[in-house]
Amino acid sequence: VGNGVALSPDQLGELESLLLSFDPANSEKLGEATGRDAPVDEYDDLTAAEIISLVGSLERPDLRALRDYENAHKARKTVIEAIDSAIARPGASERPLGA
């Protein structure tokens, strides 16, 4: 994936688990300048393609939190567009996956 660096299936699984376990309802809004850490360890080191590959498995509340964080930090257009598309998909649940 981008720059010739790819995550292994195990690393992708771990990242997905971390994303799914993140509960924005119990934290401050991610888009605010609060010094909040990334929603996933080493999130800021992931390529846009690596993040985009995971957004389809997340539900709207998780996607919104991820979008807020991305907007407040790297603001990668391709990541934000992928998240927005996933939020708009028909039948997407409002229930976080961890709930």
Side-chain angles (χ1 to χ4, degrees):
V1 182
N3 296 336
V5 177
L7 294 177
S8 72
D10 289 340
Q11 290 171 316
L12 283 173
E14 182 179 341
L15 176 60
E16 184 173 18
S17 294
L18 288 168
L19 281 170
L20 296 176
S21 68
F22 177 72
D23 185 2
N26 294 329
S27 63
E28 296 174 6
K29 185 174 178 182
L30 292 176
E32 295 174 355
T34 62
R36 171 97 178 120
D37 291 332
V40 175
D41 288 340
E42 301 180 28
Y43 175 87
D44 293 323
D45 295 330
L46 295 175
T47 66
E50 290 167 333
I51 297 166
I52 290 167
S53 71
L54 299 173
V55 298
S57 64
L58 300 174
E59 299 301 325
R60 283 186 180 127
D62 303 311
L63 290 164
R64 287 186 188 108
L66 196 62
R67 181 185 58 199
D68 289 345
Y69 183 86
E70 182 66 32
N71 273 323
H73 294 85
K74 290 193 175 185
R76 294 171 281 196
K77 183 178 177 181
T78 56
V79 172
I80 295 166
E81 287 174 351
I83 293 169
D84 287 341
S85 292
I87 289 170
R89 75 179 178 253
S93 174
E94 289 295 332
R95 180 179 59 87
L97 291 180

